[in-house]
Amino acid sequence: MSPSNQDPFDVLGLDAKATTAEIRARYLELVRQHPPERDPDRFAEIHDAYTAVGDPIRVWSSRLFAPELPHFSDVIDQFQFQPQRLPTDALLRCAQRLHQSSRGPAK
C-alpha cells in the first residue's frame, strides 16, 4: 500500500495539472507495466493513487495539509514585521484637510 503522505500524482508520475484523460492513460500504462499477478504491492500503490486522484476531496485535502506547506505561525510572523499601510481614502482625506487648512479659515 502507498503511504498516506505520498502525493498520488508523484506515484503516477504526473503533473498536478494533468487532465482526466492523461491520468487514465498513465494509469493504464502503469498497470500494464506492473500487473497485480507479478507486482501486487506496486499495483496496489498505483491503484490507490489513481483512486485518490479521482476523488477531489482527497486531492484538495492532501494539498491543503501537505507537510511541505509553511506552518501558520510562520506565515503570521512573516507579515508581522511589515509596516502598516493606511488606506488610500484615509490618505486622500488627510491631504484634502491639509490643503484646506493651508488656504486659511473659511469665510
Side-chain angles (χ1 to χ4, degrees):
M1 293 289 192
S2 66
S4 61
N5 62 353
Q6 191 172 5
D7 185 19
F9 288 101
D10 288 341
V11 172
L12 295 174
L14 291 170
D15 184 37
K17 297 178 183 177
T19 65
T20 306
E22 293 170 335
I23 293 169
R24 180 166 169 73
R26 180 65 178 155
Y27 170 72
L28 294 175
E29 178 185 340
L30 289 172
V31 167
R32 278 189 228 101
Q33 291 175 4
H34 306 280
E37 302 84 27
R38 283 191 309 178
D39 197 356
D41 292 334
R42 179 71 173 134
F43 174 80
E45 183 180 25
I46 293 166
H47 181 71
D48 289 346
Y50 180 70
T51 304
V53 168
D55 183 9
I57 293 174
R58 284 181 69 181
V59 170
W60 282 106
S61 66
S62 68
R63 289 179 184 170
L64 289 174
F65 302 112
E68 65 272 358
L69 291 177
H71 192 270
F72 183 73
S73 63
D74 296 336
V75 174
I76 296 297
D77 290 342
Q78 178 185 357
F79 289 104
Q80 183 177 9
F81 297 111
Q82 291 185 355
Q84 296 292 324
R85 293 181 163 216
L86 292 174
T88 304
D89 61 331
L91 290 172
L92 291 174
R93 284 194 308 263
C94 289
Q96 184 179 18
R97 287 182 184 166
L98 182 63
H99 178 69
Q100 288 174 349
S101 66
S102 68
R103 290 191 304 173
K107 295 181 182 179

